[in-house]
Amino acid sequence: AQSVAQPEDQVNVAEGNPLTVKCTYSVSGNPYLFWYVQYPNRGLQFLLKYITGDNLVKGSYGFEAEFNKSQTSFHLKKPSALVSDSALYFCAVRDTRNTGGFKTIFGAGTRLFVKA
Amino acid sequence: EAGVVQSPRYKIIEKKQPVAFWCNPISGHNTLYWYLQNLGQGPELLIRYENEEAVDDSQLPKDRFSAERLKGVDSTLKIQPAELGDSAVYLCASSLKSNTEAFFGQGTRLTVV
């Protein structure tokens, strides 16, 4: 069955340190991969996506993500965390196969806390 | 440019009552989604529209939920009758095409008492 896993419910990091939020998926074919962020009382906001090409994609607010096909992972990273990065982060994977119904599946989310 | 607009932001109803949510997508976006988000979980797709056609409603509980997207623009999602377990945040999103990133509204938080 298609699935997206975010193995950490919460990630804690000190301001200025690098951060990583992990995502692995189980979707056949060549799926599209997305990261979204959700701030309190706000809707989900698109951060970045991987469709094809360079495995390292850059997105909004200094975030980047690395696609690893062999490990079926798409980890979100930032070289230097800010307190304002504290939010809920969702990984999403879109099945691009017709047999998969072109569905987008979201992970359960990872809460990031950045301490000053 | 205005984003995805949803109303109301909050709704409290008694069980067995009907409720409706409204969504105005970003202008020009052909694809519209309704998602349900329970506390501590990721969004789960209820229905996806391509223009006015519902192309994926496999996760929509059709005994009590219905949706429409007349003229391929605004959309409404209805629950009748509501149950306690329907308490959640209902998110509307739109995208230019079905294979591009989605833009989400702020959601409607439904509480059924």
Side-chain angles (χ1 to χ4, degrees):
Chain A
Q2 304 165 36
S3 63
V4 178
Q6 293 183 239
E8 301 153 317
D9 290 337
Q10 183 171 311
V11 170
N12 298 310
V13 65
E15 187 173 36
N17 284 0
L19 69 87
T20 298
V21 182
K22 296 179 180 177
C23 172
T24 59
Y25 62 91
S26 176
V27 177
S28 300
N30 297 300
Y32 297 166
L33 306 166
F34 303 86
W35 275 100
Y36 291 86
V37 60
Q38 188 173 34
Y39 297 100
N41 298 315
R42 304 273 297 275
L44 277 76
Q45 297 177 35
F46 168 75
L47 274 180
L48 50 79
K49 65 182 177 184
Y50 173 84
I51 303 297
T52 187
D54 193 352
N55 289 345
L56 185 65
V57 294
K58 295 186 183 298
S60 307
Y61 312 119
F63 283 92
E64 58 189 28
E66 186 168 12
F67 169 61
N68 187 315
K69 186 170 185 176
S70 63
Q71 297 184 4
T72 61
S73 67
F74 189 55
H75 300 332
L76 181 70
K77 300 181 180 183
K78 187 173 183 180
S80 179
L82 299 173
V83 172
S84 57
D85 292 330
S86 299
L88 190 56
Y89 291 80
F90 291 97
C91 178
V93 180
R94 180 176 181 85
D95 192 336
T96 58
R97 302 168 302 155
N98 191 32
T99 53
F102 303 106
K103 292 186 183 296
T104 299
I105 307 167
F106 283 80
T110 298
R111 188 165 296 281
L112 173 67
F113 283 105
V114 181
K115 190 168 64 173
Chain B
E1 179 184 338
V4 176
V5 179
Q6 290 187 247
S7 68
R9 286 292 312 279
Y10 305 92
K11 188 73 176 180
I12 301 175
I13 61 170
E14 293 183 343
K15 62 182 180 182
K16 301 185 181 180
Q17 295 301 305
V19 64
F21 314 126
W22 175 80
C23 174
N24 180 235
I26 293 174
S27 177
H29 280 195
N30 296 324
T31 307
L32 184 145
Y33 314 78
W34 283 103
Y35 285 92
L36 178 152
Q37 185 177 22
N38 287 304
L39 189 64
Q41 298 182 25
E44 299 172 31
L45 181 70
L46 290 172
I47 190 168
R48 173 167 63 97
Y49 283 93
E50 298 290 347
N51 298 303
E52 64 273 13
E53 181 184 1
V55 297
D56 185 355
D57 62 356
S58 57
Q59 301 302 312
L60 190 72
K62 298 181 184 61
D63 57 334
R64 298 184 300 107
F65 286 66
S66 63
E68 61 182 10
R69 191 185 185 195
L70 300 177
K71 300 182 181 179
V73 182
D74 293 3
S75 178
T76 56
L77 177 69
K78 298 178 181 179
I79 308 175
Q80 181 172 12
E83 298 178 352
L84 295 176
D86 295 332
S87 296
V89 176
Y90 291 82
L91 298 169
C92 179
S94 69
S95 61
L96 195 59
K97 296 185 294 185
S98 58
N99 63 349
T100 57
E101 63 271 22
F103 293 82
F104 284 79
Q106 289 185 287
T108 296
R109 182 177 296 277
L110 173 68
T111 302
V112 182
V113 297

